[in-house]
């Protein structure tokens, strides 16, 4: 499929996990990719090589991929990143707000530094990037697409991860609010709600067979998801196949949002 041919796409947190898979999938579909890294360009080396390979395979006219640094929670760095991307390409068509972190602690012991840091990256960062993208889309008067990588924890509470849970709940509201505010400008804003996906953010259980089995026992489809399965949803939402969809969170979670404990009839017995 070549649904994203010629589109210019910025992926935040593009150096690993779901962000990397989105960058590669979008390159596969013909897009030019700006891969955002947080601190040093070598973070983005692996994604850059994979994106180049995907891009070379589908484009005869050459690829226009770039890497751009920014801590998404820093307003000046975000502005600089957008300037760099727009100066380089002349226009941006799609923003993928993917960068995210999590910090664990019982809420009664959660430090305010950890709480603030998670909110700063996951929610403030997503808003700062959305604001720059919206300003560009509106001035250009040619529409645009924003996709927020949220989580099942947009709707399912996550004890011991209060900052993460709140940030994703906020991301759901931000998705709807921005979608409503800018629907008339041809700008679509949607979110993806991944369930448990095998990526570095889940290093606490992905390499431990018994912990992984325990995680997967809670998932109706019986397995964790892959980054590629999330990237496929992102590619659909960014493409014209989703031209009438805005303000929605598409949950890609193997059924985690279906109240799995109700699989049996215990509640009526
Ligand atoms: P990951 O740790 O591989 O990816 C997170 C990325 O964000 C990294 O590339 C990291 O460098 C980047 N990042 C962190 N702080 C940043 C900052 N301040 N500025 C710029 N970049 C920053 O993990 P992942 O699972 O691929 O996570 C990507 C997104 O998917 C996150 O928003 C996460 O909340 C969401 N998500 C993941 C899962 C899952 O099970 N893996 C489930 C639901 C949602």
């Amino acid at each position: 499929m070549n649904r994203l041919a010629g589109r210019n796409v910025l992926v935040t947190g593009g150096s690993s996990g779901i962000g990397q898979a989105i960058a590669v999938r979008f390159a596969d579909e013909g897009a030019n990719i700006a891969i955002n890294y947080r601190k040093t360009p070598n973070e983005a080396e692996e994604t850059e090589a994979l994106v180049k390979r995907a891009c070379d395979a589908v484009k005869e006219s050459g690829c226009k991929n770039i890497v751009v640094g920014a801590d998404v929670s820093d307003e000046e760095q975000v502005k600089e990143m957008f300037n760099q991307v727009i100066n380089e390409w002349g226009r941006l068509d799609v923003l993928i707000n993917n960068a995210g972190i999590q910090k664990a602690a019982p809420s009664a012991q959660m430090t305010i530094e950890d709480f603030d840091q998670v909110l700063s990256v996951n929610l403030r960062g997503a808003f700062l990037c959305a604001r720059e993208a919206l300003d560009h889309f509106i001035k250009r008067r040619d529409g645009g697409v924003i996709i927020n990588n949220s989580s099942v924890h947009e709707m399912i509470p996550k004890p011991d991860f209060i900052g993460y849970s709140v940030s994703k709940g906020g991301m759901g509201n931000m998705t709807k609010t921005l979608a409503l505010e800018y629907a008339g400008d041809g700008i679509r804003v949607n979110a993806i709600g991944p369930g448990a996906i095998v990526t570095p953010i889940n290093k606490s259980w992905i390499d431990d067979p018994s912990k992984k089995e325990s995680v997967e026992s809670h998932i109706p489809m019986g397995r964790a998801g892959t980054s590629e399965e999330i990237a496929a949803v992102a590619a659909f939402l960014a493409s014209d196949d989703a031209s009438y969809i805005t303000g929605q969170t598409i949950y890609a979670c193997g059924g985690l949002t279906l109240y799995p404990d109700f699989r049996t009839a215990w509640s009526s017995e």
Side-chain angles (χ1 to χ4, degrees):
M1 270 189 287
N2 219 11
R3 293 180 298 184
L4 303 170
R7 309 270 171 99
N8 295 336
V9 181
L10 169 61
V11 185
T12 71
S15 53
S16 62
I18 296 172
Q20 179 176 87
I22 291 176
V24 173
R25 173 65 189 249
F26 277 48
D28 267 340
E29 296 221 24
N32 302 307
I33 315 293
I35 306 158
N36 158 248
Y37 60 87
R38 184 174 35 167
K39 284 190 180 142
T40 56
N42 62 349
E43 286 167 33
E45 265 171 17
E46 188 183 70
T47 307
E48 202 183 0
L50 292 169
V51 162
K52 183 170 179 341
R53 197 168 65 195
C55 182
D56 285 342
V58 296
K59 275 194 195 166
E60 285 162 13
S61 54
C63 305
K64 296 194 293 176
N65 308 312
I66 53 175
V67 294
V68 280
D71 174 341
V72 296
S73 66
D74 183 303
E75 185 175 17
E76 287 314 309
Q77 289 186 34
V78 167
K79 283 186 174 171
E80 183 47 40
M81 172 170 72
F82 275 81
N83 283 339
Q84 209 182 318
V85 170
I86 292 163
N87 285 341
E88 177 81 22
W89 286 338
R91 63 179 282 149
L92 178 72
D93 301 293
V94 180
L95 164 67
I96 310 285
N97 265 325
N98 166 76
I101 57 170
Q102 59 181 7
K103 302 258 180 195
S107 295
Q109 276 89 48
M110 176 69 73
T111 66
I112 200 60
E113 289 77 17
D114 281 357
F115 181 83
D116 284 348
Q117 198 191 348
V118 172
L119 268 290
S120 291
V121 176
N122 297 9
L123 191 54
R124 182 177 200 265
F127 173 67
L128 287 172
C129 292
R131 191 182 65 175
E132 294 306 308
L134 289 165
D135 186 51
H136 170 68
F137 295 157
I138 288 160
K139 284 184 181 142
R140 207 186 59 200
R141 295 167 179 266
D142 191 20
V145 172
I146 296 175
I147 298 171
N148 296 319
N149 197 5
S150 181
S151 167
V152 285
H153 298 295
E154 180 181 315
M155 65 175 285
I156 302 174
K158 191 173 188 186
D160 293 341
F161 288 84
I162 185 69
Y164 189 81
S165 216
V166 168
S167 72
K168 297 301 187 179
M171 191 171 232
N173 192 296
M174 184 173 82
T175 300
K176 290 182 175 58
T177 301
L178 296 180
L180 183 57
E181 201 169 336
Y182 294 103
D185 296 289
I187 296 168
R188 295 189 298 108
V189 185
N190 289 295
I192 306 172
I197 310 300
V198 178
T199 74
I201 210 171
N202 286 323
K203 55 183 179 304
S204 64
W205 57 264
I206 51 178
D207 294 326
D208 179 327
S210 69
K211 282 189 186 162
K212 187 160 187 266
E213 194 182 330
S214 160
V215 169
E216 293 185 329
S217 72
H218 295 285
I219 303 169
M221 285 180 71
R223 65 170 178 86
T226 66
S227 294
E228 289 71 24
E229 288 175 306
I230 305 306
V233 180
F236 163 69
L237 284 174
S239 77
D240 293 344
D241 286 345
S243 55
Y244 206 47
I245 300 178
T246 197
Q248 306 303 310
T249 297
I250 308 294
Y251 290 99
C253 61
L256 258 183
T257 53
L258 301 174
Y259 301 94
D261 277 357
F262 283 79
R263 262 182 289 194
T264 59
W266 64 267
S267 58
S268 334
E269 284 167 359

